[in-house]
Amino acid sequence: GVYNPKLSARLANTAYSTANTRNTVGMCYRGVKDALIRANLDDGSLSGRSAYQAYSQLKKDENFTEVKVGKNELKNLPAGCLIVWDASEGHPHGHITTTLGNGKEASDHIQNLIIRDAKYSVFVPTSTNAIA
């Protein structure tokens, strides 16, 4: 797929407002799922209780393409990318978030981009046929 800046902007804006409205802690997967649904990038099919479970589902999602990004480059990602962190010590559910393009992230709240000592994957919106 080809990176879709329009979709990325839509996702970032939706993620920002969703996170601001929710303003909870510990519900990152729920916040990101809500934002994806509101941005018409998910039909509600993302499932599981833990954030890291999104990885295998996003891998098969035609709206997203996995890209390799070095850990030192994560803060430089454009707005509207998804980062999925694997489970790690102290974080058994992993973490999922949407980049806001300014070193910040939106999940169920807004915060500075988290960099963990764990495996991670980055997905960018690439679909040309997003769910309308």
Side-chain angles (χ1 to χ4, degrees), residues 96-118:
I96 186 169
T97 197
T98 306
T99 58
L100 295 177
N102 55 2
K104 301 243 184 249
E105 64 171 56
S107 54
D108 60 335
H109 60 279
I110 310 288
Q111 64 184 359
N112 289 327
L113 194 70
I114 290 177
I115 307 293
R116 290 204 168 144
D117 186 21

Side-chain angles (χ1 to χ4, degrees), residues 25-132:
V25 175
M27 304 285 284
C28 61
Y29 196 17
R30 171 63 46 211
V32 170
K33 283 195 275 195
D34 283 358
L36 288 169
I37 290 166
R38 289 179 54 210
N40 293 321
L41 284 166
D42 180 56
D43 57 9
S45 62
L46 273 182
S47 63
R49 290 181 48 97
S50 296
Y52 70 82
Q53 291 175 294
Y55 171 79
S56 57
Q57 298 168 71
L58 288 167
K59 193 100 174 111
K60 293 182 267 196
D61 190 325
E62 63 182 18
N63 290 320
F64 292 94
T65 300
E66 186 176 9
V67 294
K68 296 283 175 227
V69 178
K71 205 174 260 192
N72 58 338
E73 290 297 312
L74 291 176
K75 282 185 164 66
N76 299 327
L77 283 168
C81 300
L82 296 177
I83 305 175
V84 180
W85 291 90
D86 215 349
S88 60
E89 199 175 326
H91 303 284
H93 297 287
H95 181 55
I96 186 169
T97 197
T98 306
T99 58
L100 295 177
N102 55 2
K104 301 243 184 249
E105 64 171 56
S107 54
D108 60 335
H109 60 279
I110 310 288
Q111 64 184 359
N112 289 327
L113 194 70
I114 290 177
I115 307 293
R116 290 204 168 144
D117 186 21
K119 281 176 38 190
Y120 64 93
S121 305
V122 176
F123 292 91
V124 297
T126 51
S127 176
T128 49
N129 61 338
I131 304 157

